[in-house]
């Protein structure tokens, strides 16, 4: 394939054996772990956990990424679409509350093939960085029930500085609109999210203004009952981080973000304890479950 799947628009040649583009991945799926995961938002976890498949490679390559060994490293096992489908079935057999596809964008073709045309017994969750093309998302219509995009930045400054994507917000805003067009207002059954859009935002140290602008956009764009919003506190400094990124988010910063969210009327959603900034959130990427 000559790849134009995401806003990087690399035009890179990606084949079964040839890796290319910013994501650095071949055309066939590569993943680093499949598991039941307890650390997603409660509406995705249920009794046994979200059925996560962690894909390797990423189109954003944020410098603070907590999953660098798989997003920017070489860790991962090459799969076929057929094997991916078996993995999905295996997670459901273990009691997964949903199929949680983590960073799947660059494998859209293979994921669509693995999902097939029949409905799945649990919601399919597209868990992505938000830097998506609406035209690629349109191909997922009817196959994905829950969108779980990050909305990392509303300001071009930090988007350029940390992810090399000054145009992040232009794309993410339109992508989230397309997601919402497909799902409509979120729906819950027995505490589980069965349909809808859950927007995540990770508070970054020293970037409160960016967080406020993200919250403004969500509050001004959607009415209560339309989307869910998750304000995340789990930023963890990575080795070699410099400047503000070398520290955790302070208690005052996170409190200010929670207060701003509340003042803007964003009541449909989640906040985290600051003590959740632990490495437990990051599983071992040891290829188990693949
Ligand atoms: S999916 Fe990968 S190769 Fe394709 S446009 Fe995006 S970053 Fe480039």
């Amino acid at each position: 394939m000559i790849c134009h799947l995401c806003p990087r628009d690399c035009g890179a040649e990606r084949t079964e054996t040839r890796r290319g583009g910013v994501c650095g991945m071949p055309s066939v799926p590569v993943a680093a772990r499949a598991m039941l995961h307890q650390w997603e938002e409660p509406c995705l976890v249920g009794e046994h956990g979200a059925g996560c498949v962690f894909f390797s490679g990423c189109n954003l390559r944020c410098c603070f990424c907590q999953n660098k060994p798989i997003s920017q490293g070489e860790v991962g096992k090459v799969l076929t679409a057929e094997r991916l489908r078996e993995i999905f079935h295996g997670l459901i057999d273990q009691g997964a509350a949903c199929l949680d596809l983590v960073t799947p964008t660059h494998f859209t073709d293979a994921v669509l093939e693995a999902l097939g045309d029949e409905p799945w017994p649990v919601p399919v969750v597209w868990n992505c960085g938000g830097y998506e093309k609406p035209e690629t998302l349109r191909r997922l219509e009817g196959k994905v029930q829950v969108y779980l995009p990050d909305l990392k930045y509303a300001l071009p400054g930090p988007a350029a500085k940390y992810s090399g994507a000054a145009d992040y917000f232009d794309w993410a805003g339109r992508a989230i609109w397309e997601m919402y067009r497909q799902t409509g207002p979120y729906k819950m059954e027995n505490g589980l999210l069965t349909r809808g859009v859950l927007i995540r935002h990770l508070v970054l140290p020293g970037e409160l203004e960016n967080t406020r602008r993200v919250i403004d956009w969500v509050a001004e764009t959607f009415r209560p009952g339309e989307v869910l919003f998750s304000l995340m506190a789990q930023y963890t400094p990575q080795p070699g981080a410099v400047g503000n990124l070398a520290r955790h988010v302070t208690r005052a910063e996170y409190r200010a973000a929670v207060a701003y969210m509340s003042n803007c009327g964003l009541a449909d959603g989640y906040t985290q304890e600051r003590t959740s900034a632990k490495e437990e959130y990051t599983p071992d990427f040891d290829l188990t479950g693949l």
Side-chain angles (χ1 to χ4, degrees):
M1 68 191 294
I2 301 298
C3 189
H4 298 281
L5 280 173
C6 86
R8 296 287 189 197
D9 232 357
C10 302
E13 187 181 6
R14 298 171 57 206
T15 69
E16 282 186 24
T17 53
R18 182 175 180 148
R19 295 170 182 242
V22 173
C23 62
M25 285 290 126
S27 58
V28 288
V30 183
R33 183 86 191 254
M35 63 183 287
L36 295 185
H37 194 31
Q38 307 294 335
W39 290 101
E40 304 288 41
E41 285 80 357
C43 64
L44 299 170
V45 168
E47 198 177 338
H48 301 291
C52 289
V53 178
F54 291 90
F55 289 101
S56 302
C58 180
N59 65 348
L60 271 174
R61 303 176 72 93
C62 309
C63 64
F64 55 81
C65 180
Q66 291 169 53
N67 293 343
K68 261 188 187 166
I70 67 165
S71 68
Q72 299 171 33
E74 292 295 315
V75 178
K77 182 174 178 181
V78 176
L79 306 168
T80 61
E82 193 181 15
R83 175 62 193 140
L84 195 54
R85 186 173 173 84
E86 288 172 4
I87 291 166
F88 294 166
H89 280 297
L91 290 166
I92 289 169
D93 290 347
Q94 292 172 55
C98 63
L99 280 180
D100 186 358
L101 311 178
V102 186
T103 325
T105 305
H106 42 291
F107 300 125
T108 297
D109 294 49
V111 169
L112 281 171
E113 189 182 337
L115 287 173
D117 294 325
E118 300 301 317
W120 289 77
V122 295
V124 175
V125 180
W126 194 259
N127 180 344
C128 65
Y131 197 48
E132 309 278 310
K133 273 187 177 175
E135 69 200 61
T136 301
L137 293 169
R138 277 195 281 277
R139 296 172 57 201
L140 305 170
E141 187 159 7
K143 314 250 177 169
V144 167
Q145 286 72 48
V146 173
Y147 284 99
L148 186 57
D150 291 332
L151 185 50
K152 294 173 187 288
Y153 315 106
L155 299 177
K161 188 167 152 191
Y162 299 141
S163 300
D167 60 353
Y168 174 90
F169 181 66
D170 294 342
W171 286 103
R174 284 191 288 139
I176 289 171
W177 259 117
E178 169 58 23
M179 295 170 188
Y180 182 74
R181 184 195 68 75
Q182 291 182 25
T183 68
Y186 70 87
K187 291 195 172 59
M188 300 277 235
E189 281 175 29
N190 301 321
L192 292 176
L193 184 60
T194 57
R195 193 170 180 83
V197 181
L198 197 173
I199 301 167
R200 283 175 162 172
H201 175 71
L202 176 67
V203 181
L204 294 172
E207 296 291 350
L208 249 188
E209 186 57 19
N210 180 59
T211 292
R212 291 192 193 103
R213 296 291 79 81
V214 164
I215 292 171
D216 283 345
W217 183 82
V218 176
E220 289 164 8
T221 306
F222 296 102
R223 288 175 299 197
E226 292 188 333
V227 298
L228 290 162
F229 185 75
S230 181
L231 189 71
M232 304 169 80
Q234 72 207 52
Y235 175 80
T236 308
Q238 299 300 297
V242 295
N244 282 328
L245 292 187
R247 65 167 173 85
H248 286 274
V249 170
T250 64
R251 189 183 305 272
E253 280 174 320
Y254 194 68
R255 274 193 188 152
V258 171
Y260 198 81
M261 181 177 158
S262 171
N263 289 341
C264 289
L266 273 191
D268 298 347
Y270 303 90
T271 56
Q272 288 179 326
E273 298 296 322
R274 246 184 83 262
T275 50
S276 61
K278 293 179 190 157
E279 289 178 1
E280 289 163 17
Y281 276 94
T282 309
D284 289 333
F285 295 120
D286 56 6
L287 313 186
T288 55
L290 301 172

